[in-house]
Amino acid sequence: MKKRKKLRTFAFALTLFLLLPAGAACQGMPVYDNTNFLALGQSLIESAKQTSELLKTARFLKEQKERIEKVNAVIKQLRTVREIVENNQSLYETVRSDLREIISSPYISPEEVDRISESFNSLMENALEDLDFMQQLLTSDILNMDDAQRLEVLENQRMRSREVIREIGLKKQRYEILIEFRRIKEEINRRQAQY
């Protein structure tokens, strides 16, 4: 009986051993590797340092972008101012040379000389007032404007200076056509008087 009991116990243990998965038979205390834990901690510290450096770099790049935008705004203002000055210089040259030519024409009466001079002078005065305003706009901060607002005002002035040049050109062209018309009319009258 003892043999039988032993045999039964042995068969039962053998059956359990064969039927249970291999991992179940080998379970024991979990083992932790401290070197992996230390390496993970060091990796986290390095990641934090790199993140901090990336944030500093991002802040620096943002500041540089803002500086570049400010410089671009100033460059746009300078280009606009340069064009306004060039337009006014062109206006001055046109008035100086063409007005003299128109006024000195024998086909313009003395009454017309005053009217022509006044119209050209009024355009010149407006252009000079615009230049004064532009100088005040750029040199003082009375109007408390930011760069975008200042650039918008300068763009409007540039458009006005272009318009004044166009208007002067049209006036000059009208007077030249008038002078040519009167010259041709005088020639026709002279021919008719000869026949």
Side-chain angles (χ1 to χ4, degrees):
M1 263 228 163
K2 277 190 178 190
K3 270 189 178 182
R4 233 176 175 197
K5 203 172 184 187
K6 273 187 179 180
L7 190 58
R8 215 185 285 163
T9 308
F10 179 72
F12 180 73
L14 184 63
T15 308
L16 271 178
F17 179 75
L18 291 175
L19 291 178
L20 285 178
C26 301
Q27 283 186 357
M29 283 290 281
V31 177
Y32 294 104
D33 188 3
N34 288 338
T35 58
N36 285 342
F37 182 73
L38 291 174
L40 176 65
Q42 287 176 342
S43 294
L44 288 175
I45 291 171
E46 278 302 311
S47 294
K49 286 180 183 177
Q50 289 175 356
T51 303
S52 172
E53 289 299 316
L54 284 174
L55 288 174
K56 287 178 185 176
T57 303
R59 246 182 268 124
F60 175 75
L61 290 174
K62 183 180 177 185
E63 289 171 3
Q64 296 309 311
K65 179 184 174 200
E66 290 171 358
R67 287 180 183 158
I68 288 172
E69 287 172 353
K70 285 179 182 179
V71 168
N72 283 340
V74 169
I75 289 172
K76 285 180 185 177
Q77 288 178 15
L78 289 175
R79 286 181 183 155
T80 304
V81 167
R82 184 176 65 209
E83 184 179 334
I84 292 170
V85 170
E86 287 171 358
N87 288 347
N88 282 316
Q89 183 68 29
S90 171
L91 178 68
Y92 174 74
E93 293 296 325
T94 302
V95 169
R96 192 181 75 179
S97 61
D98 295 338
L99 181 60
R100 186 181 306 140
E101 189 179 305
I102 291 170
I103 290 175
S104 64
S105 171
Y107 301 105
I108 298 292
S109 68
E111 300 84 32
E112 288 175 318
V113 168
D114 291 337
R115 194 171 62 237
I116 292 169
S117 295
E118 285 175 20
S119 69
F120 276 87
N121 284 338
S122 69
L123 287 173
M124 285 301 295
E125 286 174 11
N126 287 338
L128 290 173
E129 286 174 9
D130 285 348
L131 278 176
D132 287 341
F133 175 72
M134 182 181 68
Q135 183 180 4
Q136 289 175 1
L137 180 71
L138 294 173
T139 57
S140 67
D141 201 19
I142 296 172
L143 301 175
N144 295 327
M145 296 177 138
D146 62 6
D147 288 339
Q149 293 169 331
R150 193 174 295 116
L151 184 60
E152 183 179 340
V153 170
L154 289 173
E155 286 291 334
N156 288 336
Q157 279 202 296
R158 177 167 60 175
M159 297 308 288
R160 279 181 54 185
S161 72
R162 288 178 180 173
E163 184 65 30
V164 168
I165 286 178
R166 191 181 70 74
E167 191 175 336
I168 286 273
L170 287 174
K171 282 186 184 230
K172 176 189 162 209
Q173 188 178 16
R174 269 189 247 136
Y175 288 121
E176 287 172 345
I177 290 172
L178 178 67
I179 289 169
E180 185 64 21
F181 175 74
R182 288 178 181 173
R183 188 187 64 74
I184 291 171
K185 183 179 175 185
E186 184 183 64
E187 246 181 65
I188 291 171
N189 288 341
R190 203 176 316 134
R191 284 185 191 166
Q192 286 177 350
Q194 289 175 356
Y195 293 112

